[in-house]
Amino acid sequence: MTEELFRTDHYLKRCEATVTAVDPRGIQLDRTVFYVMGGGQPGDSGTLTLAGGSVVRIADTRKGDGQGEILHVPEAGQPVPQPGDKVVAEIDWQRRHRHMRIHTSLHLLCAVIPAGVTGGQIGDGKGRLDFDTQDTLDKDAIAEQVNKLIAEDHAVGVRWITDGELAAKPDLVRTMSVKPPSGQGRVRLLDIEGVDLQPCGGTHVARTGEIGRVVITKIESKGKHNRRVNIAFDE
Ligand SMILES: [Zn+2]
């Protein structure tokens, strides 16, 4: 099991760690700051620096088949560390921070559009959510409301509830296709004060103002009950 430092501190850029396993799928560490791909958010890229100074460039971070396995996937032709090696693991912070900004903006979209979410994706500087609705959505009105929530600079925080509390409040779960992970006794909620509260395991900025202005680039009809709303940085 890898200690998932990125779950508790979204601003942690590096950590010291020990290599626990190396195989063709990737490199495992005893602890990591690398976000592992999931919930529509890409895995982190970055570097592992060995004690001797050699650097392993990491292209992606993926879940392995085993319980709790986190695989740091190196770029081709990188030095191969050995189990027991000490490394400094450091993420590509600029890329991650852009993911955090877009991810948080998608929570604001959820707050503005009152419909279930059936899918979503986060990319570099852009993202999208699919809403289960037949309504015609006005992209300029949505952009204005999201930008208002950004300008209001709401605090973003994490709360935990028990599986039982979540089961008693099914309206908290906005994602219709993905059930939040349960069975661990507790579930992490992302709380944008007074705006949005839902289970989420991704990484977010600390205040909505950090997102910066956004635009709704397009709204697509993907079937009778599905509107795909695309958001991007206004840059
Ligand atoms: Zn989230």
Side-chain angles (χ1 to χ4, degrees), residues 12 26 30 39 51 75 81 102 110 139 156 158 160 176 181 191 208 231:
L12 208 54
D30 63 340
E75 290 178 7
I102 284 291
C110 269
K139 67 179 185 158
V156 180
V158 164
W160 293 89
M176 301 169 73
D191 183 12
T208 60
I231 196 167

Side-chain angles (χ1 to χ4, degrees), residues 103 107 190 200-204:
H103 188 137
H107 282 268
L190 196 276
C200 188
T203 59
H204 312 85

Side-chain angles (χ1 to χ4, degrees), residues 116-128:
V117 174
T118 54
Q121 204 173 349
I122 294 158
D124 183 15
K126 61 183 182 179
R128 60 175 163 82

Side-chain angles (χ1 to χ4, degrees), residues 161-175:
I161 60 170
T162 65
D163 287 351
E165 284 169 326
L166 183 65
K169 292 183 186 170
D171 52 314
L172 277 180
V173 181
R174 294 291 300 277
T175 49

